[in-house]
Amino acid sequence: MSNPFVQIVEPLDPKQPLKKFFNLSKLGDVRYARLPFSIRILLEAAVRNCDEFLVKKGDVENILNWKVMQHKNVEVPFRPARVILQDFTGVPAVVDFAAMRDAVKKLGGDPEKINPVCPADLVIDHSIQVDFNRQSDSLQKNQDLEFERNKERFEFLKWGSRAFKNLRIIPPGSGIIHQVNLEYLARVVMDQEGYYYPDSVVGTDSHTTMIDGLGVLGWGVGGIEAEAVMLGQPISMVLPEVVGYKLVGSPQPLVTSTDIVLTITKHLRQVGVVGKFVEFFGPGVAQLSIADRATIANMCPEYGATAAYFPVDDISIGYLIQTGRDKEKVMYTKKYLEAVGMLRDFKNSSQDPDFTQVVELDLHTVVPCCSGPKRPQDKVAVSDMKKDFETCLGAKQGFKGFQIAPDRHNSTVKFNFEGCDFELAHGSVVIAAITSCTNTSNPSVMLGAGLLAKKAVEAGLTVKPYIKTSLSPGSGVVTYYLRESGVMSYLSQLGFDVVGYGCMTCIGNSGPLPESVVEAITQGDLVAVGVLSGNRNFEGRVHPNTRANYLASPPLVIAYAIAGTVRIDFETEPLGVNASGKKIFLKDIWPTRNEIQAVERQFVIPGMFKEVYQKIETVNKSWNALDAPSDKLYTWNPKSTYIKSPPFFDGLTLALQTPKTIEGAYVLLSFGDSVTTDHISPAGNIARNSPAARYLTSRGLTPREFNSYGSRRGNDAVMARGTFANIRLVNKFIDKQGPQTIHFPSGEILDVFDAAERYKQAGHPLIVLAGKEYGAGSSRDWAAKGPFLLGVKAVLAESYERIHRSNLVGMGVIPLQYLPGEDAGTLGLTGRERYTIIIPEKLKPQMNIQIKLDTGKTFQAIMRFDTDVELAYFHNGGILNYMIRKMAS
C-alpha cells in the first residue's frame, strides 16, 4: 500500500525537485510543536515508513498524541536510519547471519535474502589489548599482537563485508566506534534514495547514545535485535516518557566535562529514568561544546535512560564544519532541520517543548569528582576521595565496601621492580589509563591532560615505573592535535604513550600487570586501584587484581598516577617533591578552562579530520593484506576455535512449537542486586582454571593463545563455558566470590558450566533468581545466548536493565518479574526449591503467570514480554527463528 502521508512530501529546494522530504509542519497539527525534539524524530520515521502493515496510521497518531499516550504503555514501531556494531558484538552478528543463510537454505528458501537492508557499519575497536606500554613502539607491538591473535576473526569479518550488502567494515587501528561515529559516520540528516530525513542509529554497544550529543537519536540494543533491524524489521518499543533535563549556569574554571557527566549520572540515577528518554534543554546547554554534550550522552546507560538527547543547534552545525564534513551537505542539513522544526535555540525558552517531568542542574554547582570504587553512579568529590576510600576499606562487602579488618588498613608489602625497591598498600594505584570514548573524543579534557603533563614534567614530577600507564585515543585525530600542540612528548615522559586505538582498559583489555606487582597484591590481599577515564568500573571488569576502580577525567588520571595512591587529599598534600625539595600541589599544575580553550582553538582544525578520515578504510596495511573467501555461504572450519556455526537453529522447522509449561526447574544461581552483563558473560581474560580454558587446552592451545572471552564470541563452545565465569561472581549458594554453584541433586560444588551440563544430561530445566537491575551494563547478547545454551529457561528478577531484558526475549528465555513489593525474601524463597512455571495457551503482554514450588507454595510473577511483537518472538523460540521463518516462507 502507498504511504497515506504522501501529500506532505515536497522538495526541500525548488532547484532540486528530485530531493524531497516529508514536511511534518504540513500535518497541520498543533500538537507537533509541543512534542519533545526526540519524539519528533520517532514521528518522522513513522510518517515516512507508514505502509499500514509494519507501520500504521494509528502509530503516527499515538506518537503525535505523545502527551497523553506516554503514560499508557502503548507500543510504537521505529525504523532507525542505520545500525552500528563493534567487533565483539559484530563477529557473533555476522556468525548468526552466516548460520541463518544455512538455515534458510535448509528450509528451501533463498539464503541471499539474509542480507542487511538497513545500512550497517562495523568498527573493529574491541580486540586490541595493552600488552605493551611505556615504550615508543608500544602501539606497533600491540597492533601486531592484535593481528596475530585475531587474524581468523578479521578474515571472517572481511568475508562478511564481501558476502553481505550494506555492511561496511572500519578496520582495526582506526579508533573507538562511538568517536568514529561522532567524527565521521554520523550524517545528522540522511540523504538517501531521493529523501532527506533525520539520521538515527541503533548500535550493539550500550554507549551508542554518545551520538545523541550531536543531535542524532541513537541508543544501544542487543545484538539479536540489531540483526533484525538490519534485516528490515522495525524496533517495537513502548512510547517513552521524556524527562527534560534543564541546564543553567556556567561551569567553574577548574571543572571538566567528566565532572559534569559523573554529577549528572548520580543525579539521574536518583531521579529514576530507566526506560525513558532524557532530553537536555536550557541556556546552560549553549555553554557546552559538542564534545562535552557527547561525553554526557555517552554515559546514558550508567544513569539508566534509553537515550540522552541534545537537539541540533548552531553549535552542532559548527561541529560538522569543524570535523571536515562537506559544506554543501551541512547547508542542506540546516535547511532541512529548519523546515521541519528540529533546529533548536537553547537560549529561546519559547521553543521548550512539553516534558513528562523537568529536573534541573546548575552547572556552577559541579565540583571535580570521580566515581567508584565499583559502580559508575557512585560519585565521590575529589576533596572527599581519601576519606571515602578509607571508609570503603572497612565497610561491609558491597558496592562501597571491602570488609578489610581495621588492623590491616595500613598494611604494606615491599617488592622489587626492575632492580628497585617499592612498596604497595591499600589504595595504591597500579593502573592509570586514559581510555574510552567517553573522554578521548573530547579535546578539552585530552588537551587538559596534555597541559597538566607538561606542567608536571616541568615541575620535576614523575610516575612510578611499576604503574601501568597507557593512552588509547578514540581516533587518529586525537594523536594529531596532541602532537601538533606540543604536549605528546610530556605525556610520554610520564608513561602515557599511545598504546592503541580502541577501547582497551575500559572494557578489560588492560593486559597483564608486572608479576612482582601481582605477587605483592596477592601476598598482602591488598585493595589495589585502577584509575581510568572510562565509563564502567564494575568489579572484575578492568583487571582481576584491581578491586577498586575509579572513573576520572584524563587530567585526574595523570594526577593520581603521579601521586601513586588515591589516599591523598590534593588540597593539603603535595603530589610530590621535585629534585630541589619543593612540594608540588595539584593546584600548581592544573590548567584552567581558558588555557585549554586557547590551545583547542589553535590546534583542533578541520584539516586534521579530513586527513585522518579520508584514508580510514585503507590505511591499515595488515588489514589490506588479509585474504578472505568471496562465497555467499560461509565454509565453516571444524578446527577453528574462533568461528563456529552456532546450534541456535539446529532442528528448526517452519512449523511453530507450542510453548510448554516449565516443569520442576532447578535454580542454577541465586543473585542479589546489580548483577551485570560482565558477571554473566565476561569480556576479559580467560582464567587458566576455567571450563573455557580446559576446552581450549583440549583443542591444543596454550594459555598465551587463549585471548579474551570478547574475542571468542564467534565460538559458542567457548562462550557457553564462559557464561557466569566472572571471578567476582557472588552466588548466594556459595560463601565466597567465584564462578561456582551447587549441583543440588548431588550436593557437589561445581563450576557453573559443569553443573549446567549435569542438569542438561539429566533433562532438568534451569532458572536463575536475581534482585534489582539484573543485566546492568554493556549491551551483551552473549549474556542471553550463554544462559540459553546452559539450559536456562527463565530468569526471575526484581527488575531488569532494558537491553538485557530485550536480549533474553530475543533468545526465547522468559524474563519473569516479581510482583510489586515482593522478592525472594518476602516470598521465603531459598533457591533450593524446584519451580514449575505455568505457561498458559493464550498469552498477552505483561500478564501475570503462576509459579508452583515442590514445597507446595504458589505465587505469581509478571511475564515481561512487553509487546505483542515480543510474544511473537517467544512463540517462534526467539527473534532469529522468527526472521528465518519469515525469510524462508
Side-chain angles (χ1 to χ4, degrees), residues 233-518:
Q233 193 76 0
I235 287 174
S236 179
M237 61 187 294
V238 174
L239 189 64
E241 295 182 2
V242 182
V243 175
Y245 199 90
K246 188 174 185 179
L247 296 176
V248 298
S250 299
Q252 296 182 51
L254 302 183
V255 163
T256 68
S257 58
T258 315
D259 303 320
I260 295 170
V261 71
L262 295 179
T263 301
I264 289 173
T265 297
K266 181 173 184 179
H267 185 197
L268 284 174
R269 270 287 173 187
Q270 293 168 337
V271 170
V273 292
V274 173
K276 302 175 184 179
F277 283 5
V278 174
E279 185 167 309
F280 293 86
F281 75 110
V285 178
Q287 302 289 318
L288 302 175
S289 68
I290 294 304
D292 290 339
R293 298 175 195 180
T295 297
I296 293 166
N298 177 283
M299 285 192 72
C300 173
E302 282 64 54
Y303 40 86
T306 299
Y309 189 65
F310 288 83
V312 181
D313 68 346
D314 282 336
I315 293 175
S316 319
I317 299 298
Y319 178 83
L320 294 176
I321 293 169
Q322 181 194 27
T323 49
R325 264 71 167 210
D326 181 88
K327 288 185 178 179
E328 185 177 358
K329 289 182 179 178
V330 174
M331 179 191 74
Y332 278 111
T333 293
K334 184 172 183 179
K335 188 179 179 74
Y336 168 80
L337 294 169
E338 287 174 331
V340 294
M342 292 188 193
L343 189 67
R344 189 75 162 92
D345 178 358
F346 290 105
K347 294 177 181 176
N348 180 2
S349 60
S350 69
Q351 282 192 3
D352 293 353
D354 294 328
F355 292 113
T356 308
Q357 72 178 109
V358 171
V359 291
E360 185 173 306
L361 175 69
D362 183 348
L363 292 171
H364 193 70
T365 64
V366 177
V367 298
C369 56
C370 301
S371 277
K374 302 181 186 182
R375 294 192 305 181
Q377 64 262 40
D378 293 330
K379 186 189 81 162
V380 186
V382 170
S383 58
D384 296 333
M385 271 286 283
K386 180 178 181 179
K387 180 182 175 183
D388 187 81
F389 179 81
E390 291 175 346
T391 300
C392 289
L393 269 184
K396 183 181 176 182
Q397 182 73 36
F399 298 125
K400 295 287 286 185
F402 296 101
Q403 210 162 332
I404 303 296
D407 62 343
R408 293 187 48 242
H409 284 197
N410 295 312
S411 299
T412 60
V413 178
K414 289 182 167 53
F415 70 101
N416 187 277
F417 179 75
E418 294 183 346
C420 297
D421 291 328
F422 296 98
E423 194 173 81
L424 284 184
H426 295 298
S428 291
V429 174
V430 295
I431 290 177
I434 298 175
T435 181
S436 170
C437 50
T438 308
N439 286 291
T440 64
S441 60
N442 194 325
S444 66
V445 292
M446 296 302 288
L447 287 167
L451 291 171
L452 184 139
K454 180 176 185 291
K455 292 183 179 188
V457 170
E458 290 171 346
L461 297 176
T462 59
V463 175
K464 293 181 178 67
Y466 63 81
I467 296 176
K468 188 157 192 179
T469 47
S470 61
L471 167 60
S472 46
S475 80
V477 173
V478 179
T479 307
Y480 206 140
Y481 65 64
L482 290 176
R483 189 172 60 238
E484 291 297 305
S485 61
V487 299
M488 183 63 89
S489 61
Y490 297 101
L491 287 163
S492 295
Q493 286 178 67
L494 292 180
F496 290 91
D497 297 277
V498 173
V499 295
Y501 296 95
C503 302
M504 304 192 89
T505 300
C506 188
I507 56 155
N509 285 354
S510 48
L513 288 173
E515 283 187 24
S516 58
V517 171
V518 173

Side-chain angles (χ1 to χ4, degrees), residues 462-629:
T462 59
V463 175
K464 293 181 178 67
Y466 63 81
I467 296 176
K468 188 157 192 179
T469 47
S470 61
L471 167 60
S472 46
S475 80
V477 173
V478 179
T479 307
Y480 206 140
Y481 65 64
L482 290 176
R483 189 172 60 238
E484 291 297 305
S485 61
V487 299
M488 183 63 89
S489 61
Y490 297 101
L491 287 163
S492 295
Q493 286 178 67
L494 292 180
F496 290 91
D497 297 277
V498 173
V499 295
Y501 296 95
C503 302
M504 304 192 89
T505 300
C506 188
I507 56 155
N509 285 354
S510 48
L513 288 173
E515 283 187 24
S516 58
V517 171
V518 173
E519 287 169 5
I521 293 170
T522 305
Q523 180 187 332
D525 190 26
L526 298 176
V527 180
V529 178
V531 183
L532 63 153
S533 63
N535 47 43
R536 295 269 165 83
N537 56 342
F538 302 127
E539 269 191 296
R541 179 184 175 98
V542 174
H543 193 281
N545 297 111
T546 56
R547 284 156 70 185
N549 296 281
Y550 287 93
L551 308 181
S553 67
L556 278 175
V557 170
I558 295 177
Y560 280 112
I562 294 169
T565 179
V566 293
R567 297 172 81 170
I568 180 173
D569 181 346
F570 288 131
E571 292 292 318
T572 60
E573 299 175 65
L575 275 174
V577 179
N578 67 12
S580 306
K582 182 184 177 183
K583 294 179 178 179
I584 308 297
F585 289 82
L586 181 58
K587 62 187 176 184
D588 300 328
I589 62 171
W590 192 272
T592 66
R593 185 175 282 263
N594 287 339
E595 281 181 86
I596 295 167
Q597 287 175 344
V599 176
E600 184 177 348
R601 280 193 296 271
Q602 184 177 354
F603 292 104
V604 183
I605 56 175
M608 289 182 177
F609 293 89
K610 287 181 179 176
E611 185 174 333
V612 167
Y613 282 112
Q614 69 185 5
K615 55 189 179 184
I616 190 169
E617 292 180 49
T618 57
V619 72
N620 191 315
K621 293 179 181 176
S622 298
W623 174 264
N624 296 340
L626 281 179
D627 192 26

Side-chain angles (χ1 to χ4, degrees), residues 594-802:
N594 287 339
E595 281 181 86
I596 295 167
Q597 287 175 344
V599 176
E600 184 177 348
R601 280 193 296 271
Q602 184 177 354
F603 292 104
V604 183
I605 56 175
M608 289 182 177
F609 293 89
K610 287 181 179 176
E611 185 174 333
V612 167
Y613 282 112
Q614 69 185 5
K615 55 189 179 184
I616 190 169
E617 292 180 49
T618 57
V619 72
N620 191 315
K621 293 179 181 176
S622 298
W623 174 264
N624 296 340
L626 281 179
D627 192 26
S630 55
D631 302 339
K632 296 301 181 184
L633 292 175
Y634 187 69
T635 304
W636 306 96
N637 178 1
K639 295 181 179 179
S640 174
T641 56
Y642 277 108
I643 307 298
K644 178 177 175 290
S645 181
F648 305 136
F649 315 123
D650 291 354
L652 183 66
T653 64
L654 286 174
L656 293 183
Q657 303 296 313
T658 304
K660 296 176 182 177
T661 287
I662 299 167
E663 299 274 1
Y666 282 96
V667 177
L668 180 63
L669 297 141
S670 179
F671 295 126
D673 297 340
S674 297
V675 170
T676 71
T677 52
D678 279 292
H679 290 116
I680 304 167
S681 183
N685 291 337
I686 298 172
R688 295 188 182 192
N689 61 346
S690 65
R694 293 196 290 273
Y695 169 79
L696 291 171
T697 301
S698 74
R699 301 298 299 268
L701 274 66
T702 64
R704 183 178 177 275
E705 298 169 304
F706 286 173
N707 211 334
S708 64
Y709 282 114
S711 68
R712 292 196 178 271
R713 287 185 185 156
N715 186 317
D716 62 271
V718 175
M719 296 309 297
R721 288 164 173 80
T723 302
F724 300 113
N726 191 307
I727 60 168
R728 300 295 179 198
L729 195 74
V730 178
N731 176 12
K732 291 181 179 180
F733 296 150
I734 306 292
D735 59 6
K736 62 178 181 179
Q737 287 186 337
Q740 292 187 313
T741 195
I742 297 175
H743 176 252
F744 287 112
S746 67
E748 291 181 70
I749 295 176
L750 301 171
D751 287 332
V752 175
F753 173 79
D754 295 334
E757 281 295 288
R758 288 256 196 108
Y759 284 123
K760 189 185 293 185
Q761 287 163 9
H764 297 310
L766 297 170
I767 67 167
V768 169
L769 299 183
K772 299 179 182 70
E773 296 179 346
Y774 181 72
S778 302
S779 59
R780 193 161 291 173
D781 59 341
W782 268 107
K785 288 176 174 176
F788 169 82
L789 291 178
L790 294 187
V792 173
K793 303 299 182 185
V795 177
L796 176 57
E798 291 177 58
S799 65
Y800 293 88
E801 194 277 339
R802 176 185 61 86

